[in-house]
Amino acid sequence: MIYKDSQDLSKMINFTSNLADNVSSKVRQLDVAKGRVSSCIKRVTDILDLKACTDGVTEALNEEDYESAANHIHKYLSFDKDSLKLKSGTVDVAEKNFLDQSFNVLQESKTKLQAIVNERYDQALKSHDVPQMERFFKIFPLIGLSESGIEKFSSYLCDQINQSAEKNFSALISTDESNERWSVMFADALILLFERVARVVEAYQPVIEASYGHGHIFLFVKNIQKECDKQSVRILNKFKEIRKLNIILRDVQNIVNFSRNPSNYSNGQRIEERIDPRDMDELLTEITLISARSELYRNFLIKSIVGDMSAMPNEDSQSLNQKVAHVKQFINSCDLQCSIQELVGQYSLLENFFMTENINKAIQMDSISSNSLNSSVVDDVFFIIKKCIKRCLYSDNVDGCCAMFNNCSSVLESNYREHFFSKLKLGYPSTSDLTQAIRNRFQSPEQIQKQKIYFLVTLNNIDQSIEFVSTVQKTFEEYISKLFDQESQSSREKLNSCLNDLTTVGNRFKTLLDYGFEQLNSYEIEPKIKQWCSVYSSISHKITDEDFNSYETDDPFIQNFVKNLDSLISGLKDSLSEKNQETLTSLIASKTAILFEKNIFKCSFSKYGGLQLDKEIRHLINYLTSQTTWSTREKFSRLNQISILLSLENLTELFEYWNSPLGITWRLTPNEIRQVLLLREDFRADEVRSLKL
């Protein structure tokens, strides 16, 4: 039974398979037939179109309907002539003769029409008939003369640009110095040129894209740019001549070289008198305007060309990227951009000279106004810095801006920082320091007081400079994000990287400020606090209950100590900025804690002496906290723990603190704890040393 069913199933499968093969064969035959029918229809359509073109082109030429004739030729050029001729080998002689005759007629018509269009275009050009020129300009791509058409029409437009540029150039060189636009007239001339070229591109880009198709704007712009290069370079050369740029550059370079090696220049002083940095202000502004407008023009050209290329059909991203790179390479290497890059390099040298010389003058003219915590140099220097950076940013030139940021960092770290360092290096005049005391013998009280004021003002100047550096950096980060939003990510990162060098400058000024407070501490703060703290070790601290109570009204140490500290702080604090006041108080608190601790270890204590120490430390903490906006308790944590140890009832009580669930963070090591406990006269030394901590 199973065997019979298997045979039936096998027969059924074989039948189905044969049926499927037959159906597939029929389908393949139908596909072949369909393909042949389609080929036949296409061939018939092509032959009919060929006949229509042959008849139509002849008629259109006779009637001088060149647009229709061009459309017929364009249709003819789209035929697959080789395919038609190949298939013609299977047809009769009459059809073959028809095809050959049609091709000959159309080829002759094409040649004839090309000659006519060239001739008529040239005639229209001579007679300045712009509508006719534009008419035949649109015909060129239809008859296989796309490049020729663009070349011819571009040549005409270049002549128009040349005529307009000649008029503007004549007006430029005849401009009088009394003219309100005299200081920026070359930037204005370049703007007029760029706007003229941009209008040409904007006007004819839609025409070219509609008549020639996408992908031809690059050739059009290349031809137009040749004229723009010629005119812009002429304007820039005149700019250098009228503004005497080369002479200024030579003098600036001589001054820079002289400052580096004066021995090589016997006439160095005479050279420096020939140029004033303030006279360069208008020149630098005009150069940034020229750079900004050329950069705007450059971006316009790239955007126009890339936009046209992006619309090309069947263009893959890799091919498009290669073409875009080629476009940018062409634009960046044209005569205009090369001249602008050279000019920006010269601008960087002049701007750096302008900035450096003005900063040096600000340093030389540094003065202190009455009731002012700062001198004039900080505002003056950072006004110059911000002015130079801002002007450079408006040039829209990435390399120029990077050079400017680097120059700013350099001059702040050298000339400006050295000005402050030279004042701090002299130290703070004080009678507490032997070196300063000897030096002060040869100075009048007025000179000493003046030196004190300059030292403290210098600390304030450095503090304000740190704040200004940070402000400048944040401000111009925002400028970069706004002004260079069209630039590539790598260009913006390059700009921010150079600007971030100011962070290093700020850190250098913080280090200098620390050095200044170290000087103040060495000459004024530490010697006095050390002297006042030494009084503590000369007082007996093995006091009784009666002594402890009497100290409430007649304290032998802390009241005078706090009074002296208050005199020291008030004598300095009023002359310091808010941040420096905090730094001063913190420094005094730190030094007081350290020096006080050293003197404690020179004493012996009773229990009441330890309690008195605790009162004295709390009194000191309260006073110093009142002098600042933050608590000074952290700086006295070791002293607090020392006072706890010295006021213990017995050694056993120590473990209540040591093992306290409140979790006291001990700043004293076990050995230091034993040393403190040994200061108590009533604690046995062997018991203290045997404590297990």
Side-chain angles (χ1 to χ4, degrees), residues 66-80:
Y66 300 121
E67 284 80 6
S68 296
N71 285 323
H72 288 305
I73 295 299
H74 185 65
K75 182 69 175 177
Y76 153 69
L77 293 174
S78 67
F79 287 146
D80 186 358

Side-chain angles (χ1 to χ4, degrees), residues 603-648:
C603 305
S604 295
F605 291 84
S606 65
K607 183 186 75 170
Y608 289 103
L611 292 173
Q612 177 63 24
L613 174 62
D614 182 66
K615 286 174 56 179
E616 291 169 338
I617 291 173
R618 281 190 278 109
H619 184 79
L620 184 58
I621 291 173
N622 290 335
Y623 165 72
L624 290 172
T625 300
S626 69
Q627 296 298 310
T628 184
T629 58
W630 46 271
S631 174
T632 59
R633 188 171 300 277
E634 180 65 22
K635 295 184 180 297
F636 287 85
S637 57
R638 284 177 60 89
L639 284 177
N640 273 323
Q641 292 174 9
I642 289 173
S643 68
I644 290 173
L645 294 173
L646 292 177
S647 59
L648 294 175

Side-chain angles (χ1 to χ4, degrees), residues 131-163:
Q132 285 296 309
M133 289 171 58
E134 292 181 351
R135 173 194 175 191
F136 290 106
F137 172 62
K138 296 175 183 178
I139 293 176
F140 278 108
L142 299 176
I143 57 177
L145 296 176
S146 295
E147 290 190 9
S148 177
I150 291 177
E151 293 280 355
K152 282 179 173 289
F153 199 64
S154 298
S155 178
Y156 159 72
L157 293 174
C158 285
D159 288 339
Q160 297 300 304
I161 293 171
N162 178 272
Q163 292 176 19

Side-chain angles (χ1 to χ4, degrees), residues 424-443:
L424 296 180
K425 190 167 61 173
L426 296 174
Y428 185 83
S430 173
T431 56
S432 303
D433 180 78
L434 180 60
T435 304
Q436 288 291 333
I438 294 173
R439 184 185 300 171
N440 293 343
R441 290 178 58 190
F442 302 98
Q443 293 180 312

Side-chain angles (χ1 to χ4, degrees), residues 156-400:
Y156 159 72
L157 293 174
C158 285
D159 288 339
Q160 297 300 304
I161 293 171
N162 178 272
Q163 292 176 19
S164 174
E166 285 293 340
K167 293 179 182 178
N168 292 334
F169 190 77
S170 298
L172 171 68
I173 59 178
S174 62
T175 303
D176 188 78
E177 290 189 27
S178 61
N179 190 297
E180 62 178 6
R181 301 296 295 177
W182 163 262
S183 62
V184 292
M185 65 179 184
F186 290 99
D188 289 346
L190 283 170
I191 291 170
L192 290 175
L193 175 62
F194 296 153
E195 288 178 346
R196 180 73 175 88
V197 176
R199 283 197 299 270
V200 167
V201 174
E202 283 184 331
Y204 288 101
Q205 181 167 355
V207 176
I208 294 173
E209 290 177 348
S211 301
Y212 287 72
H214 293 285
H216 291 86
I217 296 300
F218 187 25
L219 176 61
F220 177 68
V221 169
K222 284 172 71 175
N223 294 330
I224 298 296
Q225 185 58 31
K226 292 177 184 177
E227 183 64 28
C228 182
D229 284 342
K230 184 178 74 173
Q231 298 298 334
S232 57
V233 169
R234 181 169 70 156
I235 293 172
L236 288 173
N237 288 337
K238 199 66 178 177
F239 163 78
K240 293 179 180 179
E241 177 189 338
I242 298 297
R243 301 302 191 213
K244 299 179 181 179
L245 182 61
N246 292 330
I247 297 175
I248 293 174
L249 284 167
R250 183 194 63 200
D251 290 347
V252 166
Q253 193 61 60
N254 285 338
I255 294 172
V256 171
N257 292 338
F258 170 76
S259 63
R260 292 174 180 171
N261 196 347
S263 61
N264 291 344
Y265 289 84
S266 59
N267 61 337
Q269 183 62 37
R270 184 180 61 82
I271 291 174
E272 292 193 24
E273 291 175 353
R274 287 175 56 189
I275 185 168
D276 187 340
R278 292 173 296 182
D279 297 336
M280 298 165 55
D281 208 1
E282 291 182 347
L283 173 63
L284 294 170
T285 300
E286 187 171 25
I287 294 177
T288 57
L289 282 175
I290 290 172
S291 175
R293 295 304 178 263
S294 67
E295 192 68 19
L296 184 65
Y297 172 71
R298 169 185 169 275
N299 291 334
F300 165 76
L301 291 184
I302 292 176
K303 184 178 180 180
S304 299
I305 298 170
V306 172
D308 173 61
M309 287 182 169
S310 300
M312 292 173 64
N314 304 322
E315 188 74 16
D316 62 86
S317 59
Q318 183 178 358
S319 175
L320 178 61
N321 290 337
Q322 290 176 349
K323 290 180 178 179
V324 170
H326 181 60
V327 169
K328 290 182 178 179
Q329 182 182 9
F330 166 76
I331 298 296
N332 292 335
S333 60
C334 69
D335 291 346
L336 166 62
Q337 291 302 321
C338 290
S339 298
I340 292 297
Q341 287 300 322
E342 179 186 8
L343 185 62
V344 169
Q346 295 166 339
Y347 160 80
S348 296
L349 175 64
L350 297 179
E351 187 73 271
N352 187 41
F353 174 79
F354 173 86
M355 177 180 64
T356 303
E357 290 298 305
N358 279 297
I359 286 177
N360 288 339
K361 285 188 177 181
I363 291 172
Q364 293 170 7
M365 298 172 64
D366 189 17
S367 60
I368 302 174
S369 302
S370 58
N371 301 323
S372 176
L373 298 178
N374 298 92
S375 65
S376 62
V377 70
V378 181
D379 285 335
D380 291 345
V381 165
F382 280 92
F383 172 79
I384 296 165
I385 291 288
K386 287 187 282 188
K387 177 179 181 177
C388 292
I389 293 180
K390 190 173 182 179
R391 175 162 54 199
C392 187
L393 284 174
Y394 279 114
S395 71
D396 284 348
N397 188 283
V398 174
D399 292 334

Side-chain angles (χ1 to χ4, degrees), residues 557-575:
F557 172 73
I558 195 63
Q559 291 180 355
N560 285 332
F561 184 77
V562 169
K563 182 180 178 181
N564 289 330
L565 276 184
D566 186 63
S567 174
L568 173 64
I569 292 174
S570 60
L572 297 172
K573 196 172 183 180
D574 292 342
S575 300

